[in-house]
Amino acid sequence: MARPLIVLGSLNMDLVIRAPRHPRPGETLVGSNFGMFPGGKGANQAVAVARLGQPVTMIGCVGRDAFGDALIATLQAAGVDTTGVARADAATGVALITLSAAGENTIVVAPGANGAVTPELVRMHEPLMAGAAALLLQLEVPLPAVETAIRLARGHGVPVILNPAPARPLPAELIAQVDYLIPNQHEAALLTGLPVHSPEEAQMAAEVLRRSGAGVVVLTLGEQGALVLADGEPVHVPAFPVEVVDTTAAGDAFVGAFAVALSEGRAPVEAATWGCAAGALACTVLGAQPSLPTRTAVLRLVTGDE
Ligand code: RIB
């Protein structure tokens, strides 16, 4: 049995409305269908891992409410171990998502119970980390919990994979403790102060992040693929072209697939190819967790086999 991946992160209920375009400030737009989908960057990444066949345990917090019940049930149905998901006296996290005709989203999150993920909660689950294949984190739970988890994982020799989303400044000491840093263009731009629009600019930003101490930098570039910078020359991994329905959770699909490929012994560039395939497939289906692809679908795209 493979060692489990541990995901520390958020769980949100995503409330999604499709609109012809994004509204301007002060404007009311009439959209079309409304949908409710399980989401949250942490939970999405945990489900992405489970769909690819790797055991995974989630650490996080939901409220004592119907959204909390539904999010835990969906994780369990996907095969995620939820023993690390606690209940807090706060409403379950909610994300309001507007989806444009081009499939692009804007997201506003009310973190609610995600804010109750504390260093104490993380420490309670240290035994889970001790035998883990890797620790996977994002930034939708409070930073002290993220810092504690990273410290514990490193103490047990467990590789740390950080997806610094949503974008926020980070202490240099934290970046220096990350084995695999997976920012998107916006996050990399915020962390480095550099523009990141092309693979060439991505390379410069990745070099800055590596100089800050990140082990391997995998900078995702949406429809331009990803740039991987480890010890040698940077490698640009192209995207897989698909018909875009909804980009929500494409980044989460990338990170989950990258982590699985890596923990199966694949090199970072191959793992990023898995990530690009999973991210592309996630864009073809509406909703966060419903869009996360199976192992068969990812391998079919990676190998080109019909
Ligand atoms: O990465 C996508 C996720 O971001 C959504 O599911 C939403 O909940 C927000 O956390």
Short mmCIF file of all heavy atoms in Angstrom, two decimals, residues 119-166:
data_model
loop_
_atom_site.label_atom_id
_atom_site.label_comp_id
_atom_site.label_asym_id
_atom_site.label_seq_id
_atom_site.Cartn_x
_atom_site.Cartn_y
_atom_site.Cartn_z
N PRO A 119 -2.56 26.00 14.78
CA PRO A 119 -1.38 25.16 15.00
C PRO A 119 -1.70 23.97 15.93
O PRO A 119 -1.16 22.87 15.74
CB PRO A 119 -0.39 26.13 15.66
CG PRO A 119 -0.77 27.47 15.12
CD PRO A 119 -2.27 27.43 15.00
N GLU A 120 -2.60 24.17 16.91
CA GLU A 120 -2.95 23.08 17.84
C GLU A 120 -3.60 21.92 17.07
O GLU A 120 -3.28 20.76 17.28
CB GLU A 120 -3.91 23.56 18.93
CG GLU A 120 -3.33 24.55 19.93
CD GLU A 120 -2.97 25.90 19.30
OE1 GLU A 120 -3.78 26.43 18.52
OE2 GLU A 120 -1.87 26.42 19.58
N LEU A 121 -4.53 22.28 16.19
CA LEU A 121 -5.20 21.24 15.40
C LEU A 121 -4.17 20.47 14.56
O LEU A 121 -4.20 19.24 14.48
CB LEU A 121 -6.26 21.87 14.47
CG LEU A 121 -6.98 20.85 13.59
CD1 LEU A 121 -8.09 20.15 14.36
CD2 LEU A 121 -7.57 21.51 12.34
N VAL A 122 -3.25 21.22 13.98
CA VAL A 122 -2.22 20.58 13.14
C VAL A 122 -1.36 19.64 14.00
O VAL A 122 -1.10 18.50 13.62
CB VAL A 122 -1.35 21.66 12.46
CG1 VAL A 122 -0.15 21.03 11.76
CG2 VAL A 122 -2.19 22.46 11.47
N ARG A 123 -0.97 20.13 15.18
CA ARG A 123 -0.10 19.31 16.05
C ARG A 123 -0.80 18.02 16.48
O ARG A 123 -0.18 16.98 16.60
CB ARG A 123 0.34 20.12 17.28
CG ARG A 123 1.58 20.96 16.99
CD ARG A 123 2.23 21.48 18.26
NE ARG A 123 1.48 22.59 18.83
CZ ARG A 123 1.67 23.87 18.49
NH1 ARG A 123 2.62 24.19 17.63
NH2 ARG A 123 0.95 24.82 19.02
N MET A 124 -2.14 18.12 16.68
CA MET A 124 -2.90 16.91 17.05
C MET A 124 -2.72 15.80 16.02
O MET A 124 -2.84 14.62 16.31
CB MET A 124 -4.41 17.26 17.10
CG MET A 124 -4.94 17.55 18.47
SD MET A 124 -6.64 18.14 18.29
CE MET A 124 -7.42 16.83 17.36
N HIS A 125 -2.50 16.22 14.76
CA HIS A 125 -2.42 15.24 13.68
C HIS A 125 -0.99 14.94 13.24
O HIS A 125 -0.77 14.39 12.16
CB HIS A 125 -3.27 15.71 12.49
CG HIS A 125 -4.72 15.76 12.82
ND1 HIS A 125 -5.44 14.63 13.13
CD2 HIS A 125 -5.58 16.79 12.94
CE1 HIS A 125 -6.68 14.96 13.41
NE2 HIS A 125 -6.80 16.26 13.31
N GLU A 126 -0.05 15.28 14.12
CA GLU A 126 1.36 15.01 13.77
C GLU A 126 1.59 13.53 13.42
O GLU A 126 2.32 13.24 12.47
CB GLU A 126 2.29 15.44 14.91
CG GLU A 126 3.74 15.18 14.55
CD GLU A 126 4.75 15.70 15.56
OE1 GLU A 126 4.32 16.36 16.53
OE2 GLU A 126 5.94 15.45 15.35
N PRO A 127 0.94 12.57 14.14
CA PRO A 127 1.19 11.17 13.78
C PRO A 127 0.84 10.86 12.32
O PRO A 127 1.47 10.00 11.70
CB PRO A 127 0.26 10.40 14.73
CG PRO A 127 0.08 11.32 15.90
CD PRO A 127 0.11 12.71 15.34
N LEU A 128 -0.15 11.57 11.76
CA LEU A 128 -0.49 11.33 10.35
C LEU A 128 0.68 11.71 9.46
O LEU A 128 0.97 11.06 8.45
CB LEU A 128 -1.69 12.20 9.93
CG LEU A 128 -3.06 11.89 10.52
CD1 LEU A 128 -4.07 12.93 10.06
CD2 LEU A 128 -3.50 10.49 10.08
N MET A 129 1.34 12.79 9.85
CA MET A 129 2.42 13.31 9.00
C MET A 129 3.64 12.40 9.05
O MET A 129 4.37 12.29 8.06
CB MET A 129 2.81 14.70 9.46
CG MET A 129 2.03 15.75 8.70
SD MET A 129 2.43 17.34 9.30
CE MET A 129 0.83 17.94 9.64
N ALA A 130 3.83 11.76 10.19
CA ALA A 130 5.06 10.98 10.37
C ALA A 130 5.28 9.98 9.24
O ALA A 130 6.39 9.80 8.77
CB ALA A 130 5.03 10.31 11.72
N GLY A 131 4.20 9.35 8.77
CA GLY A 131 4.42 8.31 7.75
C GLY A 131 3.95 8.73 6.36
O GLY A 131 3.70 7.89 5.51
N ALA A 132 3.87 10.04 6.12
CA ALA A 132 3.26 10.49 4.86
C ALA A 132 4.23 10.48 3.69
O ALA A 132 5.45 10.60 3.87
CB ALA A 132 2.72 11.91 5.05
N ALA A 133 3.67 10.34 2.47
CA ALA A 133 4.49 10.42 1.25
C ALA A 133 4.89 11.87 1.01
O ALA A 133 5.99 12.14 0.51
CB ALA A 133 3.70 9.89 0.06
N ALA A 134 4.01 12.80 1.33
CA ALA A 134 4.30 14.23 1.17
C ALA A 134 3.20 15.01 1.87
O ALA A 134 2.11 14.48 2.14
CB ALA A 134 4.36 14.63 -0.30
N LEU A 135 3.51 16.27 2.19
CA LEU A 135 2.50 17.19 2.74
C LEU A 135 2.18 18.22 1.68
O LEU A 135 3.08 18.83 1.09
CB LEU A 135 3.06 17.89 3.99
CG LEU A 135 2.20 19.03 4.53
CD1 LEU A 135 0.89 18.50 5.14
CD2 LEU A 135 2.98 19.83 5.59
N LEU A 136 0.89 18.40 1.44
CA LEU A 136 0.41 19.31 0.40
C LEU A 136 -0.34 20.45 1.07
O LEU A 136 -1.28 20.19 1.84
CB LEU A 136 -0.53 18.48 -0.46
CG LEU A 136 -0.85 18.85 -1.88
CD1 LEU A 136 0.42 19.13 -2.63
CD2 LEU A 136 -1.59 17.69 -2.54
N LEU A 137 0.04 21.69 0.79
CA LEU A 137 -0.63 22.83 1.44
C LEU A 137 -0.92 23.95 0.44
O LEU A 137 -0.25 24.07 -0.59
CB LEU A 137 0.23 23.45 2.53
CG LEU A 137 1.02 22.58 3.47
CD1 LEU A 137 2.48 22.54 3.06
CD2 LEU A 137 0.91 23.06 4.88
N GLN A 138 -1.89 24.79 0.81
CA GLN A 138 -2.20 26.02 0.08
C GLN A 138 -2.28 27.12 1.15
O GLN A 138 -1.92 26.88 2.29
CB GLN A 138 -3.54 25.91 -0.67
CG GLN A 138 -3.81 24.56 -1.32
CD GLN A 138 -4.16 23.50 -0.28
OE1 GLN A 138 -4.79 23.81 0.72
NE2 GLN A 138 -3.74 22.27 -0.51
N LEU A 139 -2.85 28.29 0.78
CA LEU A 139 -2.89 29.41 1.73
C LEU A 139 -4.31 29.85 2.03
O LEU A 139 -4.54 31.03 2.31
CB LEU A 139 -2.05 30.58 1.19
CG LEU A 139 -0.57 30.25 0.93
CD1 LEU A 139 0.12 31.43 0.27
CD2 LEU A 139 0.14 29.86 2.23
N GLU A 140 -5.27 28.93 2.01
CA GLU A 140 -6.65 29.31 2.35
C GLU A 140 -6.99 29.00 3.80
O GLU A 140 -8.14 29.12 4.20
CB GLU A 140 -7.64 28.59 1.41
CG GLU A 140 -8.18 29.52 0.34
CD GLU A 140 -9.24 28.89 -0.56
OE1 GLU A 140 -9.53 27.68 -0.45
OE2 GLU A 140 -9.78 29.63 -1.38
N VAL A 141 -6.00 28.56 4.57
CA VAL A 141 -6.16 28.43 6.03
C VAL A 141 -5.10 29.34 6.67
O VAL A 141 -4.14 29.73 5.99
CB VAL A 141 -6.02 26.96 6.51
CG1 VAL A 141 -7.15 26.12 5.97
CG2 VAL A 141 -4.67 26.37 6.14
N PRO A 142 -5.26 29.70 7.95
CA PRO A 142 -4.33 30.68 8.55
C PRO A 142 -2.86 30.26 8.47
O PRO A 142 -2.52 29.08 8.64
CB PRO A 142 -4.81 30.76 10.00
CG PRO A 142 -6.27 30.39 9.93
CD PRO A 142 -6.35 29.33 8.86
N LEU A 143 -2.01 31.26 8.24
CA LEU A 143 -0.59 31.01 8.04
C LEU A 143 0.09 30.28 9.21
O LEU A 143 0.94 29.41 8.98
CB LEU A 143 0.13 32.33 7.73
CG LEU A 143 1.46 32.21 7.01
CD1 LEU A 143 1.35 31.42 5.73
CD2 LEU A 143 2.04 33.59 6.76
N PRO A 144 -0.25 30.59 10.49
CA PRO A 144 0.41 29.87 11.59
C PRO A 144 0.22 28.35 11.49
O PRO A 144 1.13 27.57 11.80
CB PRO A 144 -0.27 30.43 12.85
CG PRO A 144 -0.72 31.80 12.43
CD PRO A 144 -1.13 31.68 10.99
N ALA A 145 -0.95 27.92 11.01
CA ALA A 145 -1.19 26.48 10.86
C ALA A 145 -0.32 25.91 9.73
O ALA A 145 0.25 24.82 9.85
CB ALA A 145 -2.68 26.22 10.56
N VAL A 146 -0.21 26.68 8.66
CA VAL A 146 0.62 26.26 7.53
C VAL A 146 2.08 26.13 7.98
O VAL A 146 2.76 25.14 7.71
CB VAL A 146 0.49 27.28 6.37
CG1 VAL A 146 1.53 27.03 5.27
CG2 VAL A 146 -0.92 27.25 5.79
N GLU A 147 2.55 27.13 8.73
CA GLU A 147 3.95 27.12 9.18
C GLU A 147 4.21 25.95 10.11
O GLU A 147 5.24 25.28 10.02
CB GLU A 147 4.27 28.45 9.88
CG GLU A 147 4.30 29.61 8.91
CD GLU A 147 4.40 30.98 9.59
OE1 GLU A 147 3.82 31.17 10.68
OE2 GLU A 147 5.05 31.86 9.02
N THR A 148 3.24 25.68 10.99
CA THR A 148 3.41 24.55 11.93
C THR A 148 3.49 23.23 11.17
O THR A 148 4.35 22.38 11.44
CB THR A 148 2.23 24.51 12.93
OG1 THR A 148 2.18 25.75 13.60
CG2 THR A 148 2.38 23.38 13.94
N ALA A 149 2.59 23.06 10.21
CA ALA A 149 2.57 21.81 9.45
C ALA A 149 3.88 21.61 8.70
O ALA A 149 4.44 20.49 8.67
CB ALA A 149 1.39 21.82 8.47
N ILE A 150 4.39 22.68 8.12
CA ILE A 150 5.65 22.57 7.36
C ILE A 150 6.79 22.14 8.30
O ILE A 150 7.58 21.26 7.99
CB ILE A 150 5.98 23.90 6.64
CG1 ILE A 150 4.95 24.13 5.52
CG2 ILE A 150 7.41 23.89 6.10
CD1 ILE A 150 5.15 25.42 4.75
N ARG A 151 6.80 22.77 9.47
CA ARG A 151 7.86 22.44 10.45
C ARG A 151 7.79 20.97 10.85
O ARG A 151 8.79 20.26 10.87
CB ARG A 151 7.70 23.33 11.69
CG ARG A 151 8.99 23.85 12.20
CD ARG A 151 8.93 24.84 13.33
NE ARG A 151 7.65 25.07 13.96
CZ ARG A 151 6.92 26.17 13.76
NH1 ARG A 151 7.35 27.11 12.93
NH2 ARG A 151 5.76 26.34 14.38
N LEU A 152 6.56 20.50 11.14
CA LEU A 152 6.39 19.10 11.57
C LEU A 152 6.78 18.14 10.44
O LEU A 152 7.48 17.15 10.67
CB LEU A 152 4.94 18.84 11.99
CG LEU A 152 4.47 19.57 13.25
CD1 LEU A 152 3.00 19.26 13.53
CD2 LEU A 152 5.32 19.17 14.45
N ALA A 153 6.32 18.44 9.24
CA ALA A 153 6.62 17.55 8.11
C ALA A 153 8.13 17.46 7.91
O ALA A 153 8.69 16.36 7.77
CB ALA A 153 5.95 18.07 6.85
N ARG A 154 8.80 18.58 7.95
CA ARG A 154 10.26 18.57 7.75
C ARG A 154 10.96 17.79 8.85
O ARG A 154 11.92 17.07 8.61
CB ARG A 154 10.80 19.99 7.67
CG ARG A 154 10.44 20.66 6.36
CD ARG A 154 11.03 22.03 6.28
NE ARG A 154 12.49 22.01 6.13
CZ ARG A 154 13.10 21.88 4.95
NH1 ARG A 154 12.40 21.76 3.86
NH2 ARG A 154 14.42 21.88 4.89
N GLY A 155 10.42 17.91 10.06
CA GLY A 155 11.00 17.15 11.19
C GLY A 155 10.90 15.65 10.97
O GLY A 155 11.72 14.88 11.48
N HIS A 156 9.92 15.23 10.19
CA HIS A 156 9.75 13.79 9.90
C HIS A 156 10.34 13.42 8.55
O HIS A 156 10.13 12.31 8.06
CB HIS A 156 8.26 13.41 9.94
CG HIS A 156 7.69 13.46 11.32
ND1 HIS A 156 7.96 12.48 12.27
CD2 HIS A 156 6.87 14.34 11.93
CE1 HIS A 156 7.33 12.78 13.40
NE2 HIS A 156 6.67 13.90 13.23
N GLY A 157 11.03 14.36 7.91
CA GLY A 157 11.64 14.07 6.61
C GLY A 157 10.61 13.92 5.50
O GLY A 157 10.88 13.26 4.48
N VAL A 158 9.45 14.52 5.68
CA VAL A 158 8.37 14.41 4.67
C VAL A 158 8.47 15.60 3.70
O VAL A 158 8.51 16.75 4.14
CB VAL A 158 6.99 14.40 5.38
CG1 VAL A 158 5.86 14.52 4.39
CG2 VAL A 158 6.85 13.13 6.22
N PRO A 159 8.50 15.33 2.38
CA PRO A 159 8.59 16.44 1.42
C PRO A 159 7.40 17.38 1.52
O PRO A 159 6.26 16.94 1.72
CB PRO A 159 8.60 15.74 0.06
CG PRO A 159 8.89 14.31 0.33
CD PRO A 159 8.49 14.01 1.74
N VAL A 160 7.66 18.67 1.36
CA VAL A 160 6.62 19.70 1.48
C VAL A 160 6.33 20.29 0.09
O VAL A 160 7.24 20.76 -0.59
CB VAL A 160 7.09 20.82 2.42
CG1 VAL A 160 6.10 21.98 2.42
CG2 VAL A 160 7.28 20.28 3.84
N ILE A 161 5.05 20.24 -0.29
CA ILE A 161 4.61 20.81 -1.57
C ILE A 161 3.66 21.96 -1.24
O ILE A 161 2.61 21.74 -0.65
CB ILE A 161 3.87 19.76 -2.43
CG1 ILE A 161 4.74 18.52 -2.64
CG2 ILE A 161 3.42 20.37 -3.76
CD1 ILE A 161 4.02 17.35 -3.32
N LEU A 162 4.05 23.19 -1.60
CA LEU A 162 3.20 24.34 -1.29
C LEU A 162 2.67 24.97 -2.57
O LEU A 162 3.45 25.34 -3.46
CB LEU A 162 3.97 25.40 -0.48
CG LEU A 162 3.19 26.70 -0.21
CD1 LEU A 162 1.99 26.45 0.70
CD2 LEU A 162 4.10 27.77 0.40
N ASN A 163 1.35 25.10 -2.63
CA ASN A 163 0.68 25.85 -3.70
C ASN A 163 0.27 27.18 -3.04
O ASN A 163 -0.70 27.21 -2.29
CB ASN A 163 -0.54 25.01 -4.16
CG ASN A 163 -1.47 25.74 -5.08
OD1 ASN A 163 -2.68 25.61 -4.97
ND2 ASN A 163 -0.95 26.48 -6.01
N PRO A 164 1.02 28.26 -3.28
CA PRO A 164 0.79 29.50 -2.51
C PRO A 164 -0.43 30.28 -3.00
O PRO A 164 -0.33 31.42 -3.44
CB PRO A 164 2.09 30.28 -2.72
CG PRO A 164 2.57 29.84 -4.06
CD PRO A 164 2.12 28.42 -4.24
N ALA A 165 -1.60 29.64 -2.91
CA ALA A 165 -2.85 30.22 -3.41
C ALA A 165 -3.88 30.26 -2.28
O ALA A 165 -3.98 29.31 -1.51
CB ALA A 165 -3.38 29.34 -4.55
N PRO A 166 -4.66 31.38 -2.18
CA PRO A 166 -4.57 32.57 -3.02
C PRO A 166 -3.31 33.38 -2.71
O PRO A 166 -2.70 33.23 -1.65
CB PRO A 166 -5.84 33.34 -2.63
CG PRO A 166 -6.23 32.86 -1.29
CD PRO A 166 -5.75 31.45 -1.19
#
